Amino acid sequence: MQAESTPGGTPQRGRPTDPRRCSGIRAIAAILAILPPLAGATAQEPPPNKAGSAQLPDRVQAVLETAAFAKGHWGLLVVDRKTGETVYERNADQFFAPASVTKLFSTAAALVELGADHRFQTPVVRRGEVDAQGSLHGDLILIAQGDLAMGGRTGPDGRLLFKDVDHTYSGGAWTSELVATDPLAGMEHLSREVQAAGIKRITGEVIVDDRLFDRAPSSGSGPERVSPIVVNDNLVDVVIQAGKAPGEPATVSFSPLTQYVSMDAQVETIAADGEVDVKVEGAGSRRFTVRGRVPAGRAAIVATCEVDDPASFARTLLIEALRRHGVRIDASPLAQNSGTSLPTPSTLKALPKVAEYTSPPFREFLRVILKVSHNLHASTLPMLLAARKGERSLKAGLKREGELLKGLGVDPKAISFGGGAGGTQSDMVTPRAAVTLLRAMAARPDFNAYDAALPVLGRDGTLAKAVADDSPARGHAHAKTGTFYVNNDLDGTTLMTSKALAGYLETATGRQLAFAFFINNVPLDVPKPKRPVSTATGEAGKLLGKLCEVFYSDSEAPAPAPAAEAAAGVK
């Protein structure tokens, strides 16, 4: 069961059992598939550090021996980002489950392939002629191109917005938030352009062409289906606001408001000291129920339900948007999307274009993926790599990712991935592979886009609450988090198979470091009353934050450049 840490150290649990991916449903069972520590790993003494103070090994060891986590399998590597000189290492060449640190690799490969300034362009074409009265005697076709947001996260300044706890992580601690944007902005844009092109009526069909790549699973919590068309992360958001007093019904609404789904909601308000208990469950095709209790005085909570067919969902939303803009559509928005009559992609692209939506640059999507650890978007990246080469499968996309990572100097024998997000049993990396990738990306001209997308220690994204507000290291580490845990059904407890953190750290002396921290296979004493799984995995996240503090304050300054080089401006 995969989970990713959220600000405040609260991970969100993985897949519920309902095929519609409605949040708030507990999994009935989980698979206990644990890789044992390599022989002798727990007894290995950490080697002396090569470029830090004499006290550094003892200070690191004190963190690693924290009682609740001392039995875990630890892997660490910290190096000088510029010279590669080792500051500290432990099991740096052994395999570890990276969890969402996997996203460092998938986003790096996509950045190399697509470029930071790449923009997704989603066209709408017509098949048929438009008469003098504005009637299109034929079909309107949206050609999905893999845009991960379709305008639904774009703020007034053109940048993509995010909340530290994304709506795709709803459930668990119930701290998810929605961004203050229109989830249908892309559909509204396309509808305005169709209307401006002189089309007043469509007598044929409205079709979403989703043939860019094959269907594939998302490897992580949140939406389960990877698709070339993504509107509101292919989720319906359910917003629940408690009543003013216990016993009153809560107010329940959903967004985007659409005919595609229908909801039956019954949620009760309970005493202010009570616990949120909400379930959103599928109740047949395009129908779902909301049941539960929410405490009085509680801020609105967000739950989600994944749609059953992203292309049909997008088709309905487009028809509804067209009608809002005065375009008459003979086809029903309630019908399924059907691409059986579509011509070949090359023929389709030659048809007259009547509208197009252009996304923000890819660097903005990197920010969302890495800041909030967005599993659906990260899982889509290998599929986009495949499509760039005229391929359609996840296997082809991962093969291309491997080629790109090898080109960055990452040893292919030191990594293994089954997806782009970090939620498969195939995902394994060594600390050295992670640090090699980080140093390679730091030397690239597009490094600023990569670095700016990472969560900042104590400031935002999944690292927002990893250290205290007064931590001296706060703001000095840019890094990707990772969390993975499974249920042990033998005794009802939880096994944390991975907690991970990798990225860049500037020390108190100004030295630039690249680091990778992994701890695997830790039995947790949860869940218990008043002690959920999120508390224990949050404590592990803060432990990695403590390691950042150790290396921030305990590393020697780099040697000054020779006078001749300094005078010449050599860096």
Side-chain angles (χ1 to χ4, degrees), residues 192-239:
R192 286 192 298 269
E193 289 204 342
V194 169
Q195 193 271 342
I199 297 177
K200 300 178 180 178
R201 179 184 178 185
I202 300 169
T203 64
E205 257 296 350
V206 174
I207 306 172
V208 174
D209 176 11
D210 63 346
R211 296 177 295 176
L212 182 67
F213 51 73
D214 295 338
R215 291 175 179 264
S218 173
S219 60
S221 305
E224 186 176 63
R225 302 173 186 86
V226 173
S227 168
I229 185 69
V230 182
V231 183
N232 198 45
D233 297 315
N234 294 330
L235 297 174
V236 174
D237 293 310
V238 180
V239 181

Side-chain angles (χ1 to χ4, degrees), residues 31 54 214 241 246 258 267 302 319 334 379 412 421 490 514 517 520:
I31 298 173
D214 295 338
Q241 181 64 66
T258 173
V267 180
V302 176
I319 290 175
L334 304 180
S379 294
L490 293 174
F517 305 149
N520 284 186

Side-chain angles (χ1 to χ4, degrees), residues 40-50 54-65 70 74-78 86-92 94 547 551:
T42 56
Q44 177 179 334
E45 289 297 324
N49 61 300
K50 301 177 182 179
Q55 294 78 32
L56 180 59
D58 292 339
R59 296 187 64 198
V60 173
Q61 190 65 19
V63 176
L64 306 190
E65 291 177 350
W74 282 96
L76 291 83
L77 180 62
V78 183
T86 299
V87 174
Y88 184 93
E89 64 176 304
R90 180 187 182 99
N91 299 329
Q94 293 183 11
L547 282 175
F551 286 101

Side-chain angles (χ1 to χ4, degrees), residues 24-323:
I25 308 172
R26 293 183 178 274
I28 296 174
I31 298 173
L32 187 61
I34 309 304
L35 289 177
L38 298 181
T42 56
Q44 177 179 334
E45 289 297 324
N49 61 300
K50 301 177 182 179
S53 74
Q55 294 78 32
L56 180 59
D58 292 339
R59 296 187 64 198
V60 173
Q61 190 65 19
V63 176
L64 306 190
E65 291 177 350
T66 300
F69 305 98
K71 292 183 179 180
H73 180 40
W74 282 96
L76 291 83
L77 180 62
V78 183
V79 306
D80 186 290
R81 196 175 91 187
K82 295 182 179 179
T83 68
E85 183 181 13
T86 299
V87 174
Y88 184 93
E89 64 176 304
R90 180 187 182 99
N91 299 329
D93 296 297
Q94 293 183 11
F95 269 122
F96 290 84
S100 284
V101 166
T102 297
K103 296 181 177 74
L104 284 177
F105 294 83
S106 55
T107 55
L111 181 59
V112 172
E113 180 74 19
L114 300 177
D117 296 322
H118 172 79
R119 296 176 186 263
F120 299 98
Q121 293 181 310
T122 305
V124 173
V125 300
R126 61 174 173 85
R127 179 169 57 178
E129 300 301 321
V130 180
D131 65 22
Q133 288 73 45
S135 292
L136 168 60
H137 297 282
D139 304 325
L140 195 72
I141 304 169
L142 183 154
I143 306 174
Q145 294 293 297
D147 189 327
L148 301 172
M150 281 301 293
R153 290 177 180 264
T154 307
D157 60 356
R159 304 193 74 190
L160 294 188
L161 303 181
F162 68 90
K163 293 290 186 178
D164 289 339
V165 188
D166 192 68
H167 73 145
T168 56
Y169 281 103
S170 66
W174 299 108
T175 54
S176 298
E177 297 181 85
L178 301 178
V179 294
T181 59
D182 180 3
L184 303 180
M187 293 302 184
E188 291 292 321
H189 174 91
L190 291 172
S191 298
R192 286 192 298 269
E193 289 204 342
V194 169
Q195 193 271 342
I199 297 177
K200 300 178 180 178
R201 179 184 178 185
I202 300 169
T203 64
E205 257 296 350
V206 174
I207 306 172
V208 174
D209 176 11
D210 63 346
R211 296 177 295 176
L212 182 67
F213 51 73
D214 295 338
R215 291 175 179 264
S218 173
S219 60
S221 305
E224 186 176 63
R225 302 173 186 86
V226 173
S227 168
I229 185 69
V230 182
V231 183
N232 198 45
D233 297 315
N234 294 330
L235 297 174
V236 174
D237 293 310
V238 180
V239 181
I240 305 168
Q241 181 64 66
K244 295 182 179 179
E248 292 186 1
T251 301
V252 184
S253 60
F254 69 85
S255 173
L257 193 60
T258 173
Q259 298 176 76
Y260 189 81
V261 295
S262 58
M263 175 184 71
D264 172 41
Q266 296 181 42
V267 180
E268 177 189 5
T269 304
I270 59 175
D273 60 352
E275 298 289 331
V276 175
D277 180 16
V278 171
K279 291 183 179 180
V280 181
E281 299 181 307
S285 178
R286 303 188 183 186
R287 295 180 295 177
F288 65 94
T289 63
V290 186
R291 297 289 187 270
R293 306 180 301 170
V294 292
R298 179 74 153 73
I301 69 168
V302 176
T304 61
C305 188
E306 184 176 2
V307 300
D308 54 1
D309 180 5
S312 293
F313 181 53
R315 174 188 177 275
T316 296
L317 297 175
L318 180 57
I319 290 175
E320 291 171 340
L322 286 165
R323 287 179 172 178

Side-chain angles (χ1 to χ4, degrees), residues 297-363:
R298 179 74 153 73
I301 69 168
V302 176
T304 61
C305 188
E306 184 176 2
V307 300
D308 54 1
D309 180 5
S312 293
F313 181 53
R315 174 188 177 275
T316 296
L317 297 175
L318 180 57
I319 290 175
E320 291 171 340
L322 286 165
R323 287 179 172 178
R324 285 194 295 271
H325 288 274
V327 180
R328 178 179 170 182
I329 312 291
D330 289 3
S332 170
L334 304 180
Q336 287 288 113
N337 185 71
S338 176
T340 56
S341 66
L342 288 173
T344 63
S346 58
T347 300
L348 190 63
K349 290 180 180 179
L351 294 176
K353 185 189 301 182
V354 295
E356 186 168 63
Y357 176 74
T358 301
S359 76
F362 184 62
R363 67 178 72 243

